[in-house]
Amino acid sequence: MRTTRDISKRMRDILTRDKVGIKDGFASAMTKDVQKVLSDYFELDSPVRVEVAQGADGKYAVNVSCTAYCIKQFDTTYDVKRY
Amino acid sequence: MRKIVVTSGKGGVGKTTVTASLGRKLALRGYRVVLVDGDVGLNNLDVVTAIERRVVYDISDVLMGKCRAFQALVQDSESSMRILPSSKDSSLLTAQAFKGVVDSFGEFDFVIIDCPAGIEHGFHRAVSAADEAIVITTPSLSAIRDADKVLGLLRSYRLSDVSLVVNRVRPDMVAKHEMLGAAEIGALLHVPPIGVIPEDDLITLYQQLGSVPDCAISDRAYLALADNVANNSKAFYDVTQKRRFGRRR
Protein backbone atom coordinates (compact mmCIF):
# COMPACT_ATOMS: atom_id res chain seq x y z
CA MET A 1 0.00 0.00 0.00
CA ARG A 2 2.83 2.30 0.95
CA THR A 3 4.51 2.02 -2.45
CA THR A 4 1.48 3.28 -4.38
CA ARG A 5 1.03 6.06 -1.85
CA ASP A 6 4.65 7.08 -2.30
CA ILE A 7 4.37 7.00 -6.11
CA SER A 8 1.13 8.98 -5.95
CA LYS A 9 2.68 11.56 -3.62
CA ARG A 10 5.76 11.92 -5.82
CA MET A 11 3.56 12.34 -8.90
CA ARG A 12 1.41 14.93 -7.15
CA ASP A 13 4.55 16.84 -6.13
CA ILE A 14 5.87 16.78 -9.71
CA LEU A 15 2.56 18.02 -11.14
CA THR A 16 2.28 20.74 -8.52
CA ARG A 17 5.86 21.89 -9.10
CA ASP A 18 5.18 22.01 -12.84
CA LYS A 19 2.09 24.16 -12.34
CA VAL A 20 3.30 26.46 -9.60
CA GLY A 21 6.72 26.71 -11.16
CA ILE A 22 8.26 25.68 -7.85
CA LYS A 23 11.85 24.62 -8.36
CA ASP A 24 13.58 22.55 -5.68
CA GLY A 25 15.62 25.63 -4.68
CA PHE A 26 12.45 27.68 -4.21
CA ALA A 27 10.88 25.00 -2.02
CA SER A 28 13.93 24.68 0.22
CA ALA A 29 14.31 28.47 0.51
CA MET A 30 10.64 28.83 1.45
CA THR A 31 10.88 26.01 4.00
CA LYS A 32 14.00 27.62 5.50
CA ASP A 33 12.23 30.99 5.84
CA VAL A 34 9.12 29.45 7.40
CA GLN A 35 11.34 27.52 9.84
CA LYS A 36 13.17 30.74 10.76
CA VAL A 37 9.89 32.54 11.51
CA LEU A 38 8.38 29.65 13.47
CA SER A 39 11.51 29.11 15.53
CA ASP A 40 11.19 32.71 16.80
CA TYR A 41 7.87 31.78 18.37
CA PHE A 42 8.33 28.10 19.23
CA GLU A 43 11.01 25.75 20.50
CA LEU A 44 10.82 23.45 17.51
CA ASP A 45 11.06 19.73 18.01
CA SER A 46 11.09 18.66 14.34
CA PRO A 47 12.05 20.20 11.02
CA VAL A 48 9.32 22.22 9.32
CA ARG A 49 7.57 20.58 6.35
CA VAL A 50 5.86 22.72 3.75
CA GLU A 51 3.53 21.05 1.25
CA VAL A 52 1.84 22.79 -1.66
CA ALA A 53 -1.03 20.95 -3.37
CA GLN A 54 -3.46 22.02 -6.02
CA GLY A 55 -7.14 21.21 -5.61
CA ALA A 56 -9.67 20.39 -8.31
CA ASP A 57 -10.80 24.04 -8.28
CA GLY A 58 -7.30 25.15 -9.23
CA LYS A 59 -6.56 26.74 -5.86
CA TYR A 60 -3.41 25.90 -3.94
CA ALA A 61 -3.43 24.52 -0.44
CA VAL A 62 -0.25 25.31 1.51
CA ASN A 63 0.26 23.10 4.55
CA VAL A 64 2.99 23.81 7.08
CA SER A 65 3.62 21.14 9.68
CA CYS A 66 6.07 20.67 12.54
CA THR A 67 6.06 19.93 16.25
CA ALA A 68 7.33 22.13 19.07
CA TYR A 69 8.27 21.60 22.71
CA CYS A 70 6.85 24.91 23.84
CA ILE A 71 5.95 28.46 22.96
CA LYS A 72 8.79 30.93 23.49
CA GLN A 73 8.21 33.57 26.11
CA PHE A 74 8.93 37.22 25.36
CA ASP A 75 7.82 40.44 27.04
CA THR A 76 7.36 42.78 24.08
CA THR A 77 7.50 42.51 20.31
CA TYR A 78 10.98 44.09 20.51
CA ASP A 79 12.18 40.77 21.90
CA VAL A 80 11.40 39.12 18.59
CA LYS A 81 14.54 38.80 16.50
CA ARG A 82 14.71 41.29 13.64
CA TYR A 83 16.00 40.39 10.18
CA MET B 1 -20.76 13.56 -36.63
CA ARG B 2 -18.49 13.43 -33.58
CA LYS B 3 -14.88 14.49 -34.09
CA ILE B 4 -12.56 13.03 -31.47
CA VAL B 5 -8.81 13.57 -31.26
CA VAL B 6 -6.70 10.94 -29.52
CA THR B 7 -3.68 12.62 -28.01
CA SER B 8 -1.10 12.16 -25.26
CA GLY B 9 1.87 14.47 -25.42
CA LYS B 10 4.31 11.65 -24.80
CA GLY B 11 5.16 9.28 -27.62
CA GLY B 12 4.95 5.53 -27.31
CA VAL B 13 1.98 5.38 -24.95
CA GLY B 14 -0.25 3.66 -27.52
CA LYS B 15 -2.20 6.46 -29.22
CA THR B 16 -2.25 4.79 -32.61
CA THR B 17 -3.12 1.37 -31.20
CA VAL B 18 -5.93 2.80 -29.06
CA THR B 19 -7.20 4.86 -32.04
CA ALA B 20 -7.29 1.81 -34.30
CA SER B 21 -8.84 -0.51 -31.70
CA LEU B 22 -11.44 2.03 -30.61
CA GLY B 23 -12.38 2.71 -34.23
CA ARG B 24 -12.76 -0.99 -34.94
CA LYS B 25 -14.95 -1.62 -31.91
CA LEU B 26 -17.19 1.32 -32.82
CA ALA B 27 -17.42 0.01 -36.39
CA LEU B 28 -18.32 -3.45 -35.09
CA ARG B 29 -21.10 -1.78 -33.07
CA GLY B 30 -22.53 -0.56 -36.37
CA TYR B 31 -21.24 3.00 -36.36
CA ARG B 32 -19.73 4.58 -39.46
CA VAL B 33 -16.17 5.43 -38.49
CA VAL B 34 -13.29 7.25 -40.18
CA LEU B 35 -9.79 7.30 -38.72
CA VAL B 36 -7.69 10.25 -39.78
CA ASP B 37 -3.93 9.93 -39.40
CA GLY B 38 -2.84 13.32 -38.11
CA ASP B 39 0.73 12.22 -37.57
CA VAL B 40 2.28 13.72 -40.68
CA GLY B 41 5.73 12.38 -41.54
CA LEU B 42 5.71 9.74 -38.79
CA ASN B 43 2.43 8.12 -39.80
CA ASN B 44 1.79 4.55 -38.65
CA LEU B 45 -1.97 4.19 -38.61
CA ASP B 46 -1.80 2.46 -42.00
CA VAL B 47 0.64 -0.12 -40.62
CA VAL B 48 -1.30 -0.75 -37.42
CA THR B 49 -4.50 -1.32 -39.40
CA ALA B 50 -2.64 -3.35 -42.07
CA ILE B 51 -3.77 -1.23 -45.00
CA GLU B 52 -0.34 0.09 -45.99
CA ARG B 53 -0.26 -1.88 -49.24
CA ARG B 54 -3.67 -0.63 -50.34
CA VAL B 55 -3.02 3.10 -49.92
CA VAL B 56 -3.45 4.98 -53.20
CA TYR B 57 -4.04 8.57 -52.08
CA ASP B 58 -3.28 10.38 -48.86
CA ILE B 59 -4.41 13.61 -47.23
CA SER B 60 -1.93 15.70 -49.27
CA ASP B 61 -3.47 14.38 -52.48
CA VAL B 62 -6.87 15.52 -51.21
CA LEU B 63 -5.53 18.99 -50.50
CA MET B 64 -3.78 19.21 -53.87
CA GLY B 65 -7.03 18.31 -55.62
CA LYS B 66 -5.73 15.02 -57.01
CA CYS B 67 -8.72 13.20 -55.52
CA ARG B 68 -11.78 13.74 -53.38
CA ALA B 69 -11.59 13.00 -49.64
CA PHE B 70 -13.82 9.92 -50.03
CA GLN B 71 -11.55 8.51 -52.74
CA ALA B 72 -8.56 8.64 -50.40
CA LEU B 73 -10.30 6.52 -47.76
CA VAL B 74 -9.13 2.92 -47.40
CA GLN B 75 -11.34 0.30 -45.78
CA ASP B 76 -9.93 -1.46 -42.73
CA SER B 77 -9.01 -5.11 -43.16
CA GLU B 78 -11.04 -6.16 -40.08
CA SER B 79 -14.12 -3.94 -40.09
CA SER B 80 -16.17 -1.42 -42.05
CA MET B 81 -14.05 1.41 -40.65
CA ARG B 82 -12.29 3.70 -43.16
CA ILE B 83 -8.85 5.21 -42.80
CA LEU B 84 -7.52 8.42 -44.28
CA PRO B 85 -3.75 7.91 -44.55
CA SER B 86 -1.35 10.68 -43.72
CA SER B 87 1.32 12.11 -45.98
CA LYS B 88 5.06 12.49 -45.75
CA ASP B 89 4.91 16.19 -46.55
CA SER B 90 3.23 18.66 -44.21
CA SER B 91 3.73 21.85 -46.26
CA LEU B 92 0.11 21.98 -47.46
CA LEU B 93 -1.35 20.75 -44.22
CA THR B 94 -2.38 23.85 -42.31
CA ALA B 95 -4.74 23.55 -39.36
CA GLN B 96 -7.52 25.10 -41.43
CA ALA B 97 -6.98 22.75 -44.39
CA PHE B 98 -6.87 19.74 -42.08
CA LYS B 99 -10.11 20.82 -40.41
CA GLY B 100 -11.70 21.24 -43.83
CA VAL B 101 -10.89 17.65 -44.74
CA VAL B 102 -12.17 16.33 -41.40
CA ASP B 103 -15.40 18.32 -41.73
CA SER B 104 -16.01 16.82 -45.17
CA PHE B 105 -16.77 13.45 -43.54
CA GLY B 106 -20.14 14.68 -42.31
CA GLU B 107 -22.01 11.50 -43.16
CA PHE B 108 -19.94 9.41 -40.76
CA ASP B 109 -20.85 8.95 -37.08
CA PHE B 110 -17.29 9.24 -35.77
CA VAL B 111 -14.13 10.84 -37.08
CA ILE B 112 -11.23 9.81 -34.85
CA ILE B 113 -8.00 11.72 -35.32
CA ASP B 114 -4.68 10.14 -34.38
CA CYS B 115 -2.67 13.06 -33.02
CA PRO B 116 1.13 13.20 -33.30
CA ALA B 117 3.24 13.09 -30.16
CA GLY B 118 4.42 16.38 -28.75
CA ILE B 119 2.69 19.73 -28.38
CA GLU B 120 3.94 21.48 -31.50
CA HIS B 121 2.16 22.43 -34.72
CA GLY B 122 0.96 18.89 -35.45
CA PHE B 123 -0.79 18.79 -32.08
CA HIS B 124 -2.50 22.12 -32.73
CA ARG B 125 -3.57 21.01 -36.21
CA ALA B 126 -5.12 17.78 -34.94
CA VAL B 127 -6.83 19.29 -31.88
CA SER B 128 -8.21 22.29 -33.82
CA ALA B 129 -10.16 19.91 -36.04
CA ALA B 130 -11.83 18.07 -33.14
CA ASP B 131 -14.73 18.72 -30.77
CA GLU B 132 -13.71 16.15 -28.16
CA ALA B 133 -10.41 14.76 -26.93
CA ILE B 134 -9.25 11.50 -25.42
CA VAL B 135 -5.92 11.77 -23.62
CA ILE B 136 -3.91 8.56 -23.44
CA THR B 137 -1.44 7.92 -20.67
CA THR B 138 0.34 4.95 -19.17
CA PRO B 139 0.95 4.54 -15.43
CA SER B 140 4.53 5.80 -15.84
CA LEU B 141 5.25 9.11 -14.14
CA SER B 142 6.66 10.71 -17.28
CA ALA B 143 3.54 9.83 -19.30
CA ILE B 144 1.26 11.17 -16.54
CA ARG B 145 3.28 14.37 -16.38
CA ASP B 146 3.01 14.88 -20.14
CA ALA B 147 -0.70 14.06 -20.05
CA ASP B 148 -1.13 16.76 -17.41
CA LYS B 149 0.60 19.30 -19.66
CA VAL B 150 -1.58 18.29 -22.60
CA LEU B 151 -4.72 18.57 -20.46
CA GLY B 152 -3.64 22.09 -19.55
CA LEU B 153 -3.23 22.97 -23.24
CA LEU B 154 -6.56 21.40 -24.18
CA ARG B 155 -8.33 23.85 -21.87
CA SER B 156 -7.53 26.62 -24.33
CA TYR B 157 -9.44 24.83 -27.12
CA ARG B 158 -13.22 24.80 -27.36
CA LEU B 159 -13.72 21.11 -26.70
CA SER B 160 -17.03 19.79 -25.44
CA ASP B 161 -15.44 16.86 -23.61
CA VAL B 162 -12.01 15.66 -22.52
CA SER B 163 -11.57 12.09 -21.26
CA LEU B 164 -8.72 9.92 -20.10
CA VAL B 165 -7.64 6.42 -21.11
CA VAL B 166 -5.00 4.65 -19.07
CA ASN B 167 -3.13 2.24 -21.29
CA ARG B 168 -0.69 -0.58 -20.54
CA VAL B 169 -1.85 -1.17 -16.97
CA ARG B 170 -0.27 -4.18 -15.26
CA PRO B 171 -3.04 -5.63 -13.03
CA ASP B 172 -0.57 -7.74 -11.06
CA MET B 173 1.54 -4.70 -10.21
CA VAL B 174 -1.53 -2.62 -9.35
CA ALA B 175 -2.76 -5.41 -7.06
CA LYS B 176 0.61 -5.42 -5.30
CA HIS B 177 0.50 -1.60 -5.03
CA GLU B 178 3.58 -1.30 -7.20
CA MET B 179 1.85 0.69 -9.92
CA LEU B 180 -0.72 3.49 -9.87
CA GLY B 181 -4.23 2.36 -10.74
CA ALA B 182 -6.47 4.12 -13.24
CA ALA B 183 -8.62 5.69 -10.52
CA GLU B 184 -5.56 7.19 -8.83
CA ILE B 185 -4.25 8.53 -12.13
CA GLY B 186 -7.66 10.01 -12.88
CA ALA B 187 -7.65 11.70 -9.46
CA LEU B 188 -4.16 13.11 -10.04
CA LEU B 189 -5.14 14.52 -13.43
CA HIS B 190 -8.67 15.56 -12.38
CA VAL B 191 -10.11 13.74 -15.40
CA PRO B 192 -12.27 10.61 -15.14
CA PRO B 193 -10.81 7.58 -16.91
CA ILE B 194 -13.21 6.11 -19.48
CA GLY B 195 -10.89 3.28 -20.42
CA VAL B 196 -8.39 1.07 -18.64
CA ILE B 197 -6.41 -1.03 -21.11
CA PRO B 198 -4.24 -3.79 -19.65
CA GLU B 199 -0.72 -4.47 -20.81
CA ASP B 200 -1.21 -7.21 -23.36
CA ASP B 201 1.46 -9.23 -25.14
CA LEU B 202 -1.02 -9.84 -27.95
CA ILE B 203 -0.93 -6.13 -28.76
CA THR B 204 2.67 -6.57 -29.90
CA LEU B 205 1.48 -9.35 -32.16
CA TYR B 206 -1.44 -7.20 -33.26
CA GLN B 207 0.83 -4.40 -34.33
CA GLN B 208 2.73 -6.81 -36.54
CA LEU B 209 -0.23 -8.68 -38.01
CA GLY B 210 -2.78 -5.89 -38.05
CA SER B 211 -5.56 -7.69 -36.19
CA VAL B 212 -6.43 -8.38 -32.56
CA PRO B 213 -7.71 -11.86 -31.67
CA ASP B 214 -10.96 -11.92 -29.68
CA CYS B 215 -9.23 -13.79 -26.86
CA ALA B 216 -6.92 -10.84 -26.18
CA ILE B 217 -7.11 -9.64 -22.57
CA SER B 218 -7.38 -6.07 -23.85
CA ASP B 219 -10.33 -6.89 -26.14
CA ARG B 220 -12.95 -6.48 -23.39
CA ALA B 221 -11.31 -3.27 -22.27
CA TYR B 222 -11.57 -1.84 -25.78
CA LEU B 223 -15.22 -2.89 -26.00
CA ALA B 224 -15.94 -1.10 -22.72
CA LEU B 225 -14.10 1.97 -23.99
CA ALA B 226 -16.08 1.93 -27.24
CA ASP B 227 -19.33 1.68 -25.25
CA ASN B 228 -18.32 4.70 -23.19
CA VAL B 229 -17.44 6.71 -26.27
CA ALA B 230 -20.60 5.70 -28.12
CA ASN B 231 -22.87 6.42 -25.14
CA ASN B 232 -20.93 9.49 -24.00
CA SER B 233 -20.65 7.90 -20.57
CA LYS B 234 -17.83 7.79 -18.05
CA ALA B 235 -18.11 4.26 -16.71
CA PHE B 236 -14.92 2.26 -16.79
CA TYR B 237 -14.04 -1.38 -16.68
CA ASP B 238 -11.17 -1.68 -14.26
CA VAL B 239 -9.08 -4.67 -15.25
CA THR B 240 -7.46 -4.75 -11.85
CA GLN B 241 -10.78 -5.11 -10.04
CA LYS B 242 -12.56 -7.22 -12.67
CA ARG B 243 -15.84 -5.48 -12.07
CA ARG B 244 -17.66 -2.57 -13.59
CA PHE B 245 -17.96 0.61 -11.61
CA GLY B 246 -21.05 2.78 -11.61
CA ARG B 247 -21.60 5.48 -14.15
CA ARG B 248 -20.54 8.92 -13.10
CA ARG B 249 -22.86 10.77 -15.38
Side-chain angles (χ1 to χ4, degrees), chain B residues 94-164:
Chain B
T94 62
Q96 205 171 7
F98 187 77
K99 189 176 189 312
V101 174
V102 168
D103 287 344
S104 71
F105 297 125
E107 65 182 57
F108 286 87
D109 299 310
F110 290 95
V111 178
I112 305 176
I113 304 161
D114 184 27
C115 185
I119 48 174
E120 310 301 328
H121 183 65
F123 169 83
H124 169 69
R125 183 171 54 215
V127 176
S128 301
D131 296 326
E132 302 169 47
I134 294 176
V135 177
I136 313 288
T137 185
T138 68
S140 83
L141 298 195
S142 52
I144 298 170
R145 187 188 198 187
D146 287 358
D148 187 58
K149 286 175 188 163
V150 163
L151 286 165
L153 288 174
L154 290 177
R155 287 191 195 104
S156 60
Y157 292 84
R158 289 181 181 173
L159 298 171
S160 60
D161 189 50
V162 178
S163 313
L164 181 72

Side-chain angles (χ1 to χ4, degrees), chain A residues 14-78:
Chain A
I14 292 169
L15 297 183
T16 304
R17 272 204 299 271
D18 282 348
K19 288 201 181 76
V20 187
I22 292 181
K23 301 275 189 298
D24 285 344
F26 175 87
S28 63
M30 182 172 66
T31 306
K32 218 167 147 185
D33 280 352
V34 173
Q35 177 142 1
K36 207 185 283 178
V37 172
L38 287 177
S39 57
D40 282 342
Y41 292 88
F42 299 95
E43 289 290 353
L44 297 179
D45 178 31
S46 68
V48 172
R49 282 180 55 137
V50 181
E51 288 178 351
V52 183
Q54 190 176 30
D57 57 358
K59 291 180 181 172
Y60 296 101
V62 183
N63 290 310
V64 177
S65 61
C66 66
T67 55
Y69 293 114
C70 62
I71 297 172
K72 282 187 178 174
Q73 297 297 319
F74 49 87
D75 296 330
T76 72
T77 51
Y78 285 103

Side-chain angles (χ1 to χ4, degrees), chain B residues 19-20 22-24 26-28 31-37 45-46 49 51 54-55 69-85 105 107-114:
Chain B
T19 304
L22 171 63
R24 271 183 184 159
L26 287 169
L28 290 173
Y31 293 102
R32 288 164 299 174
V33 181
V34 176
L35 302 190
V36 177
D37 194 345
L45 196 56
D46 54 343
T49 52
I51 58 147
R54 290 188 283 126
V55 173
F70 278 85
Q71 287 177 299
L73 296 179
V74 182
Q75 185 169 345
D76 178 33
S77 51
E78 298 279 309
S79 68
S80 64
M81 172 178 82
R82 308 292 164 124
I83 298 124
L84 178 62
F105 297 125
E107 65 182 57
F108 286 87
D109 299 310
F110 290 95
V111 178
I112 305 176
I113 304 161
D114 184 27

